[in-house]
Amino acid sequence: MDTAPDLSNFPVPDYIRAIAPYVGGRPIAEVARQFGLDPRHIVKLASNENPLGMPESARAAIARALGEAARYPDSNAFDLKAALAGKYGVPENWLTLGNGSNDILVLAAQAFLQPGAGAVYSAHAFIVYALASQMQGAQSSVVPALPGLGHDLEGMLSAIRPNTQLVFIANPNNPTGTFLTGEAIESFLGRVPSRVMVLLDEAYNEYLDPELRVDSSAWVRRYPNLIVSRTFSKAYGLAGLRVGYAIAQASVTDVLNRIRQPFNVNGLALAAAAAALTDQEFLERTYAMNRAGYRQLTEAFDALGLRYIPSRGNFVLVQVGEADDAGARVNLGLLKQGVIVRPVDNYGLSKWIRISIGLPEENSALIAALPQALQS
Ligand SMILES: Cc1ncc(COP(=O)(O)O)c(C=O)c1O
């Protein structure tokens, strides 16, 4: 009989063994199996996806690109980079494409961190900053958040040490939804030592109210130590295709592109992203639906007397009790009723759950299930 090989003596670094694997939102099919539910009646508000689905423009672009699927994709992504370069007014050699912006975060960590180096990020910040830093064996300095759970930029500046090489900032942050103004970020960038790389993660940028949006590519022009990352997974509705990108000056982009896998973004994803990028109508519909959904959800939280963090993303962090297991309990209570949300105990937020903003009827399903789940 075969026995599993004993891997305990393989020379895997301790810092790799110490990594807690990423836990994503539970798939609908899995929840249906576990609770004996009809998958058609399950509502998933767990992964900050676009509930409108993929834009028609992207679907059509995929259909056109399908005939080329036997060929490797364009490793230099000429068309998508040309479109992005035009949008931001930057040269094409300032752009790096990623298999999702997650890939960009990991590339930045691979390029700028190694054992003994330091990374700085906020408590309750997107968990991939911790994962990417840990996998490089870097020392993480996790700066306590402000009382409203936002990033403490002054505290993050103070946490910079001689060995600090990378700072992660999420704006807005997931899972808190907290937001930093353009002035706050600019003041931060002006004071970070120029030898320290800053990764400004703007995965939810397109959900910001127009008056809150800033031209972050202008910061890239001024700060050679800045990488801005964005994604097609959220407002552009392409989470399953995995496309993200970084904007950084040529010397930084050159480094990221050296370590990027040659064909890290597939051809269908490239075609879909190029089409979605110019689909203003879809973006506006997404934005409007998200704002309306935010009002729908937060009015219900207010009526139930639940505390939540004002969010600038497509999700809301809600406190669902005082006990340390409140998040886990209410999550289970919702799962049993066919509503999937995200417990966030792995973010040090065990009394909270994160709810992605869905279609009006999906939000209504969550609102209807919440009172019973709160009792559970
Ligand atoms: C703040 C933030 N950054 C980056 C990502 C990565 O998304 P993707 O790899 O799909 O672009 C996410 C996904 O949830 C996120 O919340």
Side-chain angles (χ1 to χ4, degrees):
M1 198 176 85
D2 280 350
T3 49
D6 176 11
L7 299 181
S8 55
N9 290 327
F10 276 72
V12 176
D14 288 345
Y15 58 81
I16 300 279
R17 288 196 194 278
I19 293 174
Y22 181 83
V23 183
R26 305 246 340 243
I28 289 178
E30 184 184 291
V31 170
R33 277 195 302 276
Q34 183 181 350
F35 295 96
L37 299 169
D38 181 343
R40 288 167 304 178
H41 297 149
I42 291 180
V43 167
K44 184 180 176 210
L45 300 174
S47 299
N48 300 348
E49 296 147 341
N50 190 328
L52 289 175
M54 163 161 75
E56 278 306 321
S57 54
R59 208 179 281 269
I62 288 174
R64 287 193 298 275
L66 210 46
E68 290 301 306
R71 303 209 178 272
Y72 283 100
D74 173 5
S75 177
N76 291 317
F78 180 85
D79 292 335
L80 181 55
K81 279 194 186 173
L84 288 166
K87 177 177 163 80
Y88 293 108
V90 298
E92 276 138 44
N93 66 356
W94 285 31
L95 296 165
T96 309
L97 293 188
N99 194 257
S101 60
N102 204 313
D103 196 17
I104 299 292
L105 305 178
V106 172
L107 289 174
Q110 287 173 334
F112 299 106
L113 294 175
Q114 68 292 128
V120 171
Y121 47 87
S122 174
H124 319 305
F126 184 47
I127 210 148
V128 170
Y129 311 154
L131 287 176
S133 304
Q134 274 178 286
M135 72 174 76
Q136 291 304 110
Q139 292 162 9
S140 293
S141 174
V142 184
V143 177
L146 295 170
L149 300 188
H151 287 20
D152 175 3
L153 289 183
E154 297 303 317
M156 291 173 72
L157 271 177
S158 309
I160 291 175
R161 301 275 175 271
N163 73 336
T164 303
Q165 293 179 191
L166 183 58
V167 177
F168 289 99
I169 297 176
N171 197 38
N173 181 43
N174 167 28
T176 57
T178 50
F179 170 72
L180 298 157
T181 63
E183 297 84 69
I185 292 185
E186 192 148 5
S187 150
F188 179 85
L189 291 173
R191 288 179 294 153
V192 172
S194 55
R195 61 172 181 79
V196 176
M197 194 57 63
V198 177
L199 191 138
L200 176 60
D201 176 350
E202 298 189 327
Y204 299 94
N205 177 271
E206 296 80 7
Y207 291 103
L208 293 177
D209 294 336
E211 67 275 14
L212 297 179
R213 295 181 200 157
V214 292
D215 176 12
S216 27
S217 59
W219 290 333
V220 175
R221 272 181 217 104
R222 284 189 14 226
Y223 297 103
N225 59 329
L226 177 64
I227 303 171
V228 172
S229 70
R230 295 219 180 158
T231 185
F232 285 91
S233 297
K234 308 298 176 183
Y236 291 100
L238 302 179
L241 291 177
R242 315 302 301 127
V243 197
Y245 56 96
I247 311 172
Q249 289 194 13
S251 55
V252 174
T253 302
D254 175 59
V255 172
L256 297 178
N257 272 296
R258 279 167 200 258
I259 52 176
R260 178 179 67 80
Q261 298 291 308
F263 304 105
N264 62 335
V265 185
N266 73 72
L268 302 184
L270 289 174
L277 188 68
T278 54
D279 194 339
Q280 205 52 36
E281 186 276 331
F282 182 80
L283 268 192
E284 280 164 20
R285 206 147 40 92
T286 293
Y287 168 80
M289 194 202 54
N290 191 62
R291 291 319 296 166
Y294 180 76
R295 282 193 296 276
Q296 184 188 3
L297 287 176
T298 52
E299 279 168 16
F301 302 151
D302 286 336
L304 288 164
L306 294 175
R307 177 182 173 210
Y308 57 89
I309 303 294
S311 172
R312 300 289 180 183
N314 64 343
F315 54 88
V316 195
L317 185 70
V318 192
Q319 187 178 349
V320 287
E322 292 299 334
D324 277 338
D325 64 346
R329 245 180 340 95
V330 173
N331 177 53
L332 183 61
L334 289 170
L335 282 176
K336 286 179 181 164
Q337 298 178 76
V339 179
I340 313 176
V341 299
R342 186 71 78 91
V344 279
D345 40 347
N346 54 341
Y347 282 91
L349 296 165
S350 64
K351 300 173 184 174
W352 303 70
I353 56 173
R354 190 197 68 194
I355 298 168
S356 302
I357 298 170
L359 298 170
E361 58 273 24
E362 294 175 324
N363 301 331
S364 297
L366 174 274
I367 292 166
L370 206 43
Q372 188 181 321
L374 288 166
Q375 299 302 318
S376 58

